[in-house]
Amino acid sequence: MTILARPWMVSLDTATLSRVSSDFWAADSARRENSQTFVRSLTELGVHVVLSQSHLIELLRHENDDVVAKRLKFIQKLPLVASPRPYLDVSGAGSMACIATHELHAFIYDDCKDPVSICSSVREGLWQTGTGESYVGRLEDWNPLIHAARATIEQDRVIATVSRISPQCSSMPLGHFLSIKPVPKILRNHRFPQFTDKLLQSVRRNGDKRLLNPDSVAHNLATRTQARIDRLDDDDGDLVYKLLSQYIVPSSLLRAEMTLGGLGDLDLLARRLEVIGDALVGDPQVDLESVPPGTLPTLTLDLELTKRQVAAERVSGSDLGDGHLATLALYADVTEVDKRTEAYLRQIRNSGGPVSQLIGHTLKTTDYPGLVDQIARHLSS
C-alpha cells in the first residue's frame, strides 16, 4: 500500500478527526486499534493530515475541556501534518482568507490572470509541513485559541441564520427596483411590528435550530434595518438610489436585468475582496474592476457554496466552517467533506463555471476505516 512519490495533502472532515481522536483514547481496545491503524496507514501512504484554521476552530470549540485536550494530544501523535501557510509567513495555521490573499498576491504581483494559473502558482508554496509534536508544541499555548473558538459558536449560528433571510424582492430586476416609489417614513414605522414578525417567522422556520434567542436576533435585525433606512431617508435625495449606494459594487458592473439577489452576491464578493486586499503588501488598488468576479478561485468557490447552503432545507452555524474546509478542494490532493457539501461541489463541477475544473478529488464522509482504501486508490491513479 506504500505510495510515497511525494508528500500528499489530505483534508479530513472535522467529524472524522473527532471520531479518530475519540477512538485513539478509548478504553475499548478495538476502537484504539482502529484509530491507530488508520493513522499508521495514512503515514505509510505519505499522507499529511491537513489542519487549517477552520479545522482547529471546529475541533477546539467543544465545550468539554477534557475532549479538547485529548484532541490536541491526538494531533501531537500524528507523524505527518500540514497546514496552509499564512500570508507573510506569520506562524500558525492559515485560513481560507490567507489562501485568498496568496491568490490575490499571485494576480497582482505574479501576473497570474486566470484561475488556473493562480491555483498553479499558489499551490507551489502553500503548504507548511511537519510532525504533530512540532505543530502542537505546549498545550497551554492553545488556551487563547480555544477560548476564541468557543466564543464564535453563537456568532456563527446568527450569521448562518441571517444569511437565509432573503428579501422577497431578491429576484426583482435592478431596473424595476429603480422605478419603485419609496414608502413614506411614517408608514414604514407603522408597519414595523409586521416586518419584525415576518423576520421572526423566517428565523424560526429557516434559522439554526440551536440559536439561543431567535426573538432577539429577529428584533435586532429589524431594528437595525429600520434605523439604517431612516438615516438614509433623513438626507436629501432619492431613497432608492441611496439604498443602492450602500453597495460597493462598481457601477460598470451594474445591469438593468441584474436581480437584487445577484447584486447582493457581487456586494458580498466585493467586501471579501476588500478585506483580503487590506492584508496585501504594497497597498495596491483592489476592487471588482481591477480584480473581476470569478478571478480568485477561493472566493469564487466560497460564494458558490454559500449560495447553495443558503438555499438548503436545513442550516447550521457549522455550515460556515464546512464551506471553508471545502475550498481546500482547490489545493489538497484529497478533500473529505460531509454529504451535503459533497453534493454542492458536484453541482459546481458540473456548472462549467470559473472554478469547475479546479476542484480536486473529494470524498464523502463515511466510517473512517474505509477512507484509507479510497484515499489510496486516488493517490495511485
Side-chain angles (χ1 to χ4, degrees):
M1 184 182 286
T2 301
I3 304 174
L4 293 172
R6 65 177 177 86
W8 301 101
M9 306 302 159
V10 174
S11 174
L12 299 173
D13 190 69
T14 50
T16 294
L17 289 171
S18 298
R19 287 193 293 269
V20 178
S21 173
S22 178
D23 288 352
F24 198 88
W25 306 110
D28 181 77
S29 60
R31 290 176 57 193
R32 291 200 309 274
E33 179 60 28
N34 280 340
S35 178
Q36 292 166 9
T37 299
F38 179 72
V39 172
R40 186 166 55 249
S41 298
L42 290 181
T43 305
E44 290 173 355
L45 291 173
V47 165
H48 288 70
V49 176
V50 171
L51 296 169
S52 67
Q53 190 177 106
S54 294
H55 281 101
L56 294 175
I57 288 174
E58 292 197 6
L59 288 171
L60 302 183
R61 63 174 23 168
H62 196 283
E63 61 185 14
N64 188 302
D65 290 340
D66 184 56
V67 170
V68 172
K70 286 181 177 178
R71 288 177 177 180
L72 280 173
K73 291 177 182 177
F74 166 71
I75 294 173
Q76 280 184 317
K77 296 292 185 179
L78 293 175
L80 300 173
V81 298
S83 64
R85 190 182 304 279
Y87 187 65
L88 298 181
D89 291 329
V90 178
S91 61
S95 64
M96 186 196 75
C98 294
I99 299 175
T101 310
H102 284 300
E103 293 174 348
L104 183 58
H105 184 104
F107 177 83
I108 297 291
Y109 297 116
D110 299 334
D111 200 33
C112 299
K113 300 305 182 185
D114 62 87
V116 174
S117 60
I118 289 172
C119 259
S120 178
S121 175
V122 171
R123 188 178 290 112
E124 290 181 8
L126 179 62
W127 302 107
Q128 49 187 1
T129 61
T131 65
E133 182 69 34
S134 64
Y135 185 88
V136 173
R138 301 190 312 166
L139 294 181
E140 57 267 28
D141 291 340
W142 289 82
N143 287 334
L145 181 58
I146 293 170
H147 293 309
R150 288 172 174 170
T152 63
I153 295 176
E154 185 63 14
Q155 180 185 49
D156 285 353
R157 292 172 182 168
V158 172
I159 293 173
T161 296
V162 171
S163 68
R164 289 173 62 84
I165 301 176
S166 179
Q168 294 180 351
C169 60
S170 61
S171 60
M172 181 184 297
L174 181 58
H176 179 60
F177 179 73
L178 290 172
S179 67
I180 292 177
K181 184 177 181 180
V183 175
K185 182 176 181 179
I186 188 171
L187 185 55
R188 290 200 306 270
N189 292 340
H190 179 71
R191 294 177 178 175
F192 179 75
Q194 180 183 3
F195 174 58
T196 304
D197 184 61
K198 286 185 177 180
L199 280 179
L200 178 57
Q201 291 177 33
S202 182
V203 167
R204 288 175 172 171
R205 181 175 59 253
N206 301 317
D208 192 309
K209 303 309 179 186
R210 296 166 297 176
L211 199 62
L212 295 181
N213 196 337
D215 294 50
S216 176
V217 170
H219 188 271
N220 288 340
L221 179 61
T223 300
R224 291 197 303 270
T225 301
Q226 182 189 40
R228 186 173 73 251
I229 294 175
D230 286 349
R231 283 195 303 271
L232 292 172
D233 206 12
D234 287 340
D235 299 326
D236 293 334
D238 185 275
L239 177 60
V240 171
Y241 279 90
K242 285 187 289 187
L243 284 170
L244 288 178
S245 72
Q246 302 300 296
Y247 294 92
I248 61 172
V249 178
S251 59
S252 60
L253 297 180
L254 300 181
R255 301 289 184 273
E257 65 276 11
M258 175 186 294
T259 65
L260 293 182
L263 175 60
D265 289 341
L266 282 181
D267 185 65
L268 178 60
L269 180 61
R271 293 183 187 278
R272 290 178 174 176
L273 187 61
E274 193 175 64
V275 170
I276 66 170
D278 287 342
L280 203 66
V281 295
D283 193 27
Q285 174 66 34
V286 175
D287 56 29
L288 285 181
E289 286 186 309
S290 59
V291 187
T295 300
L296 301 189
T298 293
L299 293 188
T300 303
L301 179 57
D302 184 59
L303 183 61
E304 289 297 320
L305 283 167
T306 298
K307 288 192 292 187
R308 287 164 174 79
Q309 288 173 336
V310 167
E313 289 185 2
R314 49 178 296 212
V315 63
S316 168
S318 63
D319 286 347
L320 300 175
D322 292 340
H324 293 176
L325 295 177
T327 57
L328 290 170
L330 295 168
Y331 292 100
D333 296 293
V334 178
T335 306
E336 182 201 15
V337 291
D338 64 39
K339 180 173 65 175
R340 286 183 296 158
T341 305
E342 201 275 337
Y344 300 152
L345 289 174
R346 188 166 59 249
Q347 292 170 15
I348 297 170
R349 276 198 192 95
N350 296 332
S351 70
V355 297
S356 59
Q357 302 306 310
L358 296 177
I359 300 173
H361 189 74
T362 58
L363 298 176
K364 183 168 56 180
T365 298
T366 184
D367 292 337
Y368 69 83
L371 283 176
V372 174
D373 287 342
Q374 294 184 60
I375 293 171
R377 282 197 297 271
H378 171 70
L379 298 185
S380 62
S381 62

